[in-house]
Structures are given as structure tokens and as C-alpha cells.
Amino acid sequence: MSSVKTHGLSIGIERVNDDVYLSLKATGTLTHNDYLVITPLLDAALAEVKHPKVNVFIDGTELDGWELRAAWDDLKLGLQHNNEFKKWLFGVIKIGKIIVLKLQLGL
């Protein structure tokens, strides 16, 4: 009997003046190809903003993890835009597994 593995990525970006709201829902395992989609979208949203303030919500409730190369892409993206990320919320809730919720609010 084979198990079905799902993979998906949903991205929303909205800009109001200097505030950028990024929402991301990942299903399955994030891949390098996912970051080939995410990175240019974020770069384009920030390109026209002089002093962007990025507020991020990541829904990881169906996230299984990252490929190694995708984890490297994530680190590079975070370092590239580190000063622009002001508020973010990363949530993961797994029934029967460890429950993790990480919240950071920039002041």
C-alpha cells in the first residue's frame, strides 16, 4: 500500500505604504524550487519600497520540513532581508507530535 505525499505552496503578499504583509502556507517538504518561487516574489514586492517593514505569517501546520538545499535558501533569504523583517509568526501544530509555536514581535 503506497502513501500519498502532498506538496504545495500558497503565497500572499500585500503592500500598504512601507508595510509589506507576507503570508505563506507550506504543505509537505519545502524544496529549493519553492525558494525559486518565493525569493523573486518577495524581492519584487520590496524593490519599490524605500524602507520596507515586512510582517510575516507562516502556516506550517502541514509542513514536514525542508530539504537541505531549501534550508540553505531560507537562511540566505533571511540574511538578505533581515533588517526588513519586523514582525513574524511561525506556527506549527502537529497532533501526536511535538507542538511548536514561535512568535517574534519586533518593537
Short mmCIF file of all heavy atoms in Angstrom, two decimals, residues 9-55:
data_model
loop_
_atom_site.label_atom_id
_atom_site.label_comp_id
_atom_site.label_asym_id
_atom_site.label_seq_id
_atom_site.Cartn_x
_atom_site.Cartn_y
_atom_site.Cartn_z
N LEU A 9 2.39 25.07 -2.01
CA LEU A 9 2.88 26.34 -1.51
C LEU A 9 1.87 27.41 -1.89
O LEU A 9 1.49 27.53 -3.05
CB LEU A 9 4.23 26.65 -2.14
CG LEU A 9 5.01 27.83 -1.63
CD1 LEU A 9 5.36 27.64 -0.16
CD2 LEU A 9 6.28 27.99 -2.44
N SER A 10 1.41 28.14 -0.90
CA SER A 10 0.48 29.23 -1.13
C SER A 10 1.12 30.50 -0.57
O SER A 10 1.53 30.52 0.60
CB SER A 10 -0.84 28.94 -0.42
OG SER A 10 -1.70 30.04 -0.53
N ILE A 11 1.23 31.53 -1.40
CA ILE A 11 1.91 32.76 -1.00
C ILE A 11 0.98 33.94 -1.24
O ILE A 11 0.36 34.06 -2.29
CB ILE A 11 3.19 32.99 -1.83
CG1 ILE A 11 4.13 31.80 -1.70
CG2 ILE A 11 3.89 34.27 -1.40
CD1 ILE A 11 5.27 31.83 -2.67
N GLY A 12 0.90 34.81 -0.24
CA GLY A 12 0.16 36.06 -0.39
C GLY A 12 1.06 37.22 0.01
O GLY A 12 1.73 37.16 1.04
N ILE A 13 1.10 38.25 -0.81
CA ILE A 13 1.89 39.44 -0.50
C ILE A 13 1.01 40.66 -0.73
O ILE A 13 0.41 40.81 -1.80
CB ILE A 13 3.15 39.55 -1.37
CG1 ILE A 13 4.08 38.35 -1.12
CG2 ILE A 13 3.90 40.85 -1.07
CD1 ILE A 13 5.31 38.33 -2.00
N GLU A 14 0.92 41.50 0.28
CA GLU A 14 0.14 42.73 0.18
C GLU A 14 1.01 43.87 0.70
O GLU A 14 1.73 43.72 1.69
CB GLU A 14 -1.12 42.62 1.02
CG GLU A 14 -2.03 43.81 0.89
CD GLU A 14 -3.34 43.62 1.64
OE1 GLU A 14 -3.72 42.47 1.91
OE2 GLU A 14 -3.97 44.63 1.95
N ARG A 15 0.95 45.00 0.02
CA ARG A 15 1.76 46.15 0.42
C ARG A 15 0.86 47.34 0.69
O ARG A 15 0.00 47.68 -0.12
CB ARG A 15 2.77 46.47 -0.66
CG ARG A 15 3.84 47.43 -0.20
CD ARG A 15 4.91 47.60 -1.24
NE ARG A 15 4.41 48.48 -2.28
CZ ARG A 15 4.74 48.42 -3.55
NH1 ARG A 15 5.56 47.51 -3.97
NH2 ARG A 15 4.25 49.26 -4.42
N VAL A 16 1.06 47.98 1.85
CA VAL A 16 0.37 49.20 2.21
C VAL A 16 1.45 50.19 2.65
O VAL A 16 2.02 50.04 3.73
CB VAL A 16 -0.65 48.97 3.36
CG1 VAL A 16 -1.33 50.27 3.72
CG2 VAL A 16 -1.65 47.90 3.00
N ASN A 17 1.73 51.17 1.79
CA ASN A 17 2.83 52.12 2.02
C ASN A 17 4.12 51.34 2.22
O ASN A 17 4.52 50.59 1.36
CB ASN A 17 2.51 53.06 3.18
CG ASN A 17 1.27 53.90 2.89
OD1 ASN A 17 1.07 54.36 1.78
ND2 ASN A 17 0.43 54.06 3.88
N ASP A 18 4.79 51.51 3.37
CA ASP A 18 6.05 50.80 3.64
C ASP A 18 5.84 49.44 4.30
O ASP A 18 6.80 48.71 4.52
CB ASP A 18 6.97 51.65 4.52
CG ASP A 18 7.57 52.84 3.77
OD1 ASP A 18 7.46 52.86 2.53
OD2 ASP A 18 8.14 53.72 4.43
N ASP A 19 4.60 49.11 4.65
CA ASP A 19 4.32 47.84 5.30
C ASP A 19 4.03 46.77 4.25
O ASP A 19 3.20 46.96 3.36
CB ASP A 19 3.12 47.95 6.25
CG ASP A 19 3.42 48.80 7.46
OD1 ASP A 19 4.45 48.54 8.11
OD2 ASP A 19 2.64 49.72 7.75
N VAL A 20 4.73 45.65 4.38
CA VAL A 20 4.53 44.52 3.49
C VAL A 20 4.04 43.36 4.34
O VAL A 20 4.65 43.04 5.37
CB VAL A 20 5.83 44.15 2.75
CG1 VAL A 20 5.63 42.91 1.89
CG2 VAL A 20 6.33 45.32 1.91
N TYR A 21 2.94 42.73 3.93
CA TYR A 21 2.37 41.60 4.65
C TYR A 21 2.56 40.36 3.79
O TYR A 21 2.04 40.29 2.68
CB TYR A 21 0.89 41.84 4.96
CG TYR A 21 0.70 43.07 5.82
CD1 TYR A 21 0.49 44.32 5.25
CD2 TYR A 21 0.77 42.96 7.20
CE1 TYR A 21 0.34 45.44 6.05
CE2 TYR A 21 0.62 44.08 8.01
CZ TYR A 21 0.41 45.32 7.42
OH TYR A 21 0.28 46.43 8.21
N LEU A 22 3.33 39.41 4.32
CA LEU A 22 3.62 38.17 3.60
C LEU A 22 2.99 37.02 4.35
O LEU A 22 3.23 36.84 5.55
CB LEU A 22 5.14 37.96 3.52
CG LEU A 22 5.64 36.61 3.04
CD1 LEU A 22 5.27 36.40 1.56
CD2 LEU A 22 7.14 36.50 3.22
N SER A 23 2.15 36.25 3.68
CA SER A 23 1.59 35.04 4.28
C SER A 23 2.00 33.86 3.41
O SER A 23 2.02 33.95 2.19
CB SER A 23 0.07 35.13 4.40
OG SER A 23 -0.51 35.26 3.12
N LEU A 24 2.37 32.78 4.07
CA LEU A 24 2.85 31.62 3.37
C LEU A 24 2.31 30.37 4.05
O LEU A 24 2.35 30.27 5.27
CB LEU A 24 4.38 31.59 3.39
CG LEU A 24 5.01 30.44 2.65
CD1 LEU A 24 5.80 30.97 1.47
CD2 LEU A 24 5.94 29.68 3.57
N LYS A 25 1.78 29.47 3.26
CA LYS A 25 1.35 28.16 3.77
C LYS A 25 2.08 27.10 2.96
O LYS A 25 1.98 27.09 1.73
CB LYS A 25 -0.16 27.96 3.65
CG LYS A 25 -0.58 26.58 4.16
CD LYS A 25 -2.07 26.43 4.20
CE LYS A 25 -2.50 25.05 4.62
NZ LYS A 25 -2.24 24.70 5.98
N ALA A 26 2.81 26.27 3.67
CA ALA A 26 3.56 25.21 3.01
C ALA A 26 3.00 23.86 3.42
O ALA A 26 2.70 23.64 4.59
CB ALA A 26 5.03 25.30 3.38
N THR A 27 2.87 22.98 2.44
CA THR A 27 2.40 21.62 2.67
C THR A 27 3.48 20.67 2.20
O THR A 27 4.01 20.83 1.10
CB THR A 27 1.11 21.37 1.89
OG1 THR A 27 0.13 22.33 2.27
CG2 THR A 27 0.56 19.99 2.16
N GLY A 28 3.81 19.69 3.03
CA GLY A 28 4.84 18.72 2.65
C GLY A 28 6.22 19.24 3.00
O GLY A 28 6.42 19.86 4.04
N THR A 29 7.17 19.00 2.14
CA THR A 29 8.56 19.38 2.36
C THR A 29 8.93 20.54 1.44
O THR A 29 8.75 20.44 0.22
CB THR A 29 9.49 18.18 2.08
OG1 THR A 29 9.11 17.10 2.94
CG2 THR A 29 10.93 18.53 2.34
N LEU A 30 9.45 21.63 2.03
CA LEU A 30 9.90 22.75 1.20
C LEU A 30 11.14 22.35 0.41
O LEU A 30 12.04 21.69 0.94
CB LEU A 30 10.23 23.96 2.07
CG LEU A 30 9.05 24.78 2.56
CD1 LEU A 30 9.50 25.84 3.55
CD2 LEU A 30 8.33 25.43 1.39
N THR A 31 11.18 22.76 -0.84
CA THR A 31 12.28 22.39 -1.73
C THR A 31 13.00 23.64 -2.23
O THR A 31 12.51 24.77 -2.10
CB THR A 31 11.75 21.61 -2.95
OG1 THR A 31 10.95 22.49 -3.74
CG2 THR A 31 10.95 20.39 -2.53
N HIS A 32 14.15 23.41 -2.85
CA HIS A 32 14.89 24.51 -3.48
C HIS A 32 14.01 25.19 -4.53
O HIS A 32 14.01 26.43 -4.64
CB HIS A 32 16.17 23.96 -4.12
CG HIS A 32 16.89 24.95 -4.96
ND1 HIS A 32 17.51 26.07 -4.45
CD2 HIS A 32 17.09 24.99 -6.30
CE1 HIS A 32 18.06 26.77 -5.43
NE2 HIS A 32 17.82 26.14 -6.56
N ASN A 33 13.23 24.42 -5.27
CA ASN A 33 12.35 25.00 -6.29
C ASN A 33 11.30 25.93 -5.68
O ASN A 33 10.90 26.91 -6.31
CB ASN A 33 11.67 23.91 -7.11
CG ASN A 33 12.64 23.23 -8.06
OD1 ASN A 33 13.63 23.82 -8.46
ND2 ASN A 33 12.38 21.98 -8.39
N ASP A 34 10.86 25.64 -4.46
CA ASP A 34 9.92 26.54 -3.78
C ASP A 34 10.56 27.91 -3.56
O ASP A 34 9.92 28.94 -3.73
CB ASP A 34 9.48 25.95 -2.44
CG ASP A 34 8.64 24.70 -2.60
OD1 ASP A 34 7.91 24.60 -3.61
OD2 ASP A 34 8.73 23.83 -1.71
N TYR A 35 11.83 27.90 -3.18
CA TYR A 35 12.52 29.17 -2.95
C TYR A 35 12.82 29.90 -4.24
O TYR A 35 12.99 31.12 -4.24
CB TYR A 35 13.79 28.96 -2.11
CG TYR A 35 13.42 28.78 -0.65
CD1 TYR A 35 13.11 27.54 -0.14
CD2 TYR A 35 13.31 29.89 0.18
CE1 TYR A 35 12.72 27.37 1.17
CE2 TYR A 35 12.92 29.74 1.51
CZ TYR A 35 12.63 28.48 1.99
OH TYR A 35 12.23 28.35 3.30
N LEU A 36 12.87 29.18 -5.36
CA LEU A 36 12.99 29.84 -6.66
C LEU A 36 11.72 30.61 -6.99
O LEU A 36 11.74 31.54 -7.81
CB LEU A 36 13.29 28.81 -7.76
CG LEU A 36 14.65 28.11 -7.68
CD1 LEU A 36 14.77 27.07 -8.79
CD2 LEU A 36 15.79 29.11 -7.74
N VAL A 37 10.61 30.27 -6.34
CA VAL A 37 9.35 31.00 -6.49
C VAL A 37 9.24 32.10 -5.43
O VAL A 37 8.93 33.25 -5.74
CB VAL A 37 8.14 30.03 -6.37
CG1 VAL A 37 6.83 30.79 -6.34
CG2 VAL A 37 8.16 29.02 -7.50
N ILE A 38 9.51 31.76 -4.18
CA ILE A 38 9.34 32.68 -3.05
C ILE A 38 10.26 33.89 -3.17
O ILE A 38 9.82 35.04 -3.01
CB ILE A 38 9.62 31.96 -1.71
CG1 ILE A 38 8.61 30.85 -1.46
CG2 ILE A 38 9.62 32.96 -0.55
CD1 ILE A 38 9.01 29.91 -0.33
N THR A 39 11.53 33.67 -3.44
CA THR A 39 12.54 34.73 -3.40
C THR A 39 12.25 35.86 -4.38
O THR A 39 12.22 37.03 -3.98
CB THR A 39 13.94 34.14 -3.59
OG1 THR A 39 14.17 33.16 -2.57
CG2 THR A 39 15.01 35.22 -3.50
N PRO A 40 12.00 35.59 -5.67
CA PRO A 40 11.73 36.71 -6.58
C PRO A 40 10.43 37.45 -6.25
O PRO A 40 10.33 38.66 -6.48
CB PRO A 40 11.68 36.09 -7.97
CG PRO A 40 11.78 34.63 -7.80
CD PRO A 40 12.11 34.33 -6.39
N LEU A 41 9.43 36.74 -5.73
CA LEU A 41 8.18 37.41 -5.35
C LEU A 41 8.43 38.41 -4.22
O LEU A 41 7.96 39.55 -4.26
CB LEU A 41 7.12 36.39 -4.92
CG LEU A 41 6.50 35.55 -6.02
CD1 LEU A 41 5.58 34.49 -5.42
CD2 LEU A 41 5.73 36.42 -7.00
N LEU A 42 9.17 37.98 -3.21
CA LEU A 42 9.48 38.87 -2.09
C LEU A 42 10.38 40.01 -2.55
O LEU A 42 10.14 41.17 -2.20
CB LEU A 42 10.15 38.08 -0.96
CG LEU A 42 10.45 38.87 0.30
CD1 LEU A 42 9.19 39.50 0.89
CD2 LEU A 42 11.14 37.99 1.33
N ASP A 43 11.39 39.70 -3.34
CA ASP A 43 12.29 40.75 -3.85
C ASP A 43 11.52 41.79 -4.64
O ASP A 43 11.75 43.00 -4.49
CB ASP A 43 13.39 40.14 -4.72
CG ASP A 43 14.41 39.33 -3.92
OD1 ASP A 43 14.46 39.48 -2.69
OD2 ASP A 43 15.15 38.55 -4.55
N ALA A 44 10.60 41.36 -5.49
CA ALA A 44 9.81 42.30 -6.30
C ALA A 44 8.90 43.16 -5.43
O ALA A 44 8.74 44.36 -5.67
CB ALA A 44 8.98 41.53 -7.33
N ALA A 45 8.31 42.56 -4.40
CA ALA A 45 7.43 43.33 -3.50
C ALA A 45 8.20 44.39 -2.74
O ALA A 45 7.67 45.45 -2.44
CB ALA A 45 6.72 42.38 -2.54
N LEU A 46 9.46 44.11 -2.42
CA LEU A 46 10.26 45.05 -1.63
C LEU A 46 11.04 46.05 -2.47
O LEU A 46 11.48 47.08 -1.96
CB LEU A 46 11.25 44.27 -0.75
CG LEU A 46 10.64 43.29 0.24
CD1 LEU A 46 11.72 42.59 1.03
CD2 LEU A 46 9.67 44.00 1.17
N ALA A 47 11.19 45.77 -3.76
CA ALA A 47 12.03 46.59 -4.63
C ALA A 47 11.59 48.05 -4.70
O ALA A 47 12.42 48.95 -4.77
CB ALA A 47 12.08 45.99 -6.03
N GLU A 48 10.29 48.29 -4.68
CA GLU A 48 9.79 49.65 -4.85
C GLU A 48 9.53 50.37 -3.53
O GLU A 48 9.07 51.51 -3.53
CB GLU A 48 8.51 49.61 -5.68
CG GLU A 48 8.73 49.05 -7.07
CD GLU A 48 7.44 48.98 -7.86
OE1 GLU A 48 6.48 49.68 -7.51
OE2 GLU A 48 7.41 48.21 -8.83
N VAL A 49 9.86 49.73 -2.41
CA VAL A 49 9.61 50.32 -1.10
C VAL A 49 10.94 50.81 -0.54
O VAL A 49 11.90 50.05 -0.45
CB VAL A 49 8.98 49.29 -0.14
CG1 VAL A 49 8.68 49.93 1.20
CG2 VAL A 49 7.72 48.71 -0.76
N LYS A 50 10.97 52.08 -0.16
CA LYS A 50 12.22 52.68 0.31
C LYS A 50 12.69 52.07 1.63
O LYS A 50 13.85 51.71 1.78
CB LYS A 50 12.04 54.19 0.45
CG LYS A 50 13.33 54.95 0.55
CD LYS A 50 13.09 56.43 0.43
CE LYS A 50 14.41 57.13 0.24
NZ LYS A 50 14.24 58.54 -0.07
N HIS A 51 11.81 51.98 2.61
CA HIS A 51 12.14 51.42 3.93
C HIS A 51 11.07 50.39 4.31
O HIS A 51 10.21 50.67 5.14
CB HIS A 51 12.23 52.51 4.99
CG HIS A 51 13.24 53.57 4.68
ND1 HIS A 51 14.60 53.33 4.75
CD2 HIS A 51 13.11 54.85 4.29
CE1 HIS A 51 15.25 54.43 4.42
NE2 HIS A 51 14.36 55.37 4.12
N PRO A 52 11.13 49.21 3.71
CA PRO A 52 10.06 48.23 3.95
C PRO A 52 10.07 47.68 5.38
O PRO A 52 11.13 47.53 6.00
CB PRO A 52 10.36 47.12 2.95
CG PRO A 52 11.81 47.24 2.66
CD PRO A 52 12.15 48.69 2.81
N LYS A 53 8.88 47.42 5.86
CA LYS A 53 8.68 46.74 7.14
C LYS A 53 7.84 45.50 6.83
O LYS A 53 6.66 45.62 6.53
CB LYS A 53 7.96 47.66 8.14
CG LYS A 53 8.79 48.89 8.51
CD LYS A 53 8.00 49.81 9.40
CE LYS A 53 7.16 50.69 8.50
NZ LYS A 53 6.47 51.77 9.12
N VAL A 54 8.48 44.34 6.88
CA VAL A 54 7.82 43.11 6.47
C VAL A 54 7.24 42.40 7.69
O VAL A 54 7.93 42.16 8.68
CB VAL A 54 8.80 42.17 5.73
CG1 VAL A 54 8.09 40.91 5.27
CG2 VAL A 54 9.44 42.89 4.56
N ASN A 55 5.97 42.09 7.61
CA ASN A 55 5.25 41.32 8.63
C ASN A 55 4.93 39.98 8.01
O ASN A 55 4.28 39.90 6.98
CB ASN A 55 3.97 42.05 9.03
CG ASN A 55 4.26 43.46 9.49
OD1 ASN A 55 4.73 43.66 10.59
ND2 ASN A 55 4.02 44.44 8.63
#
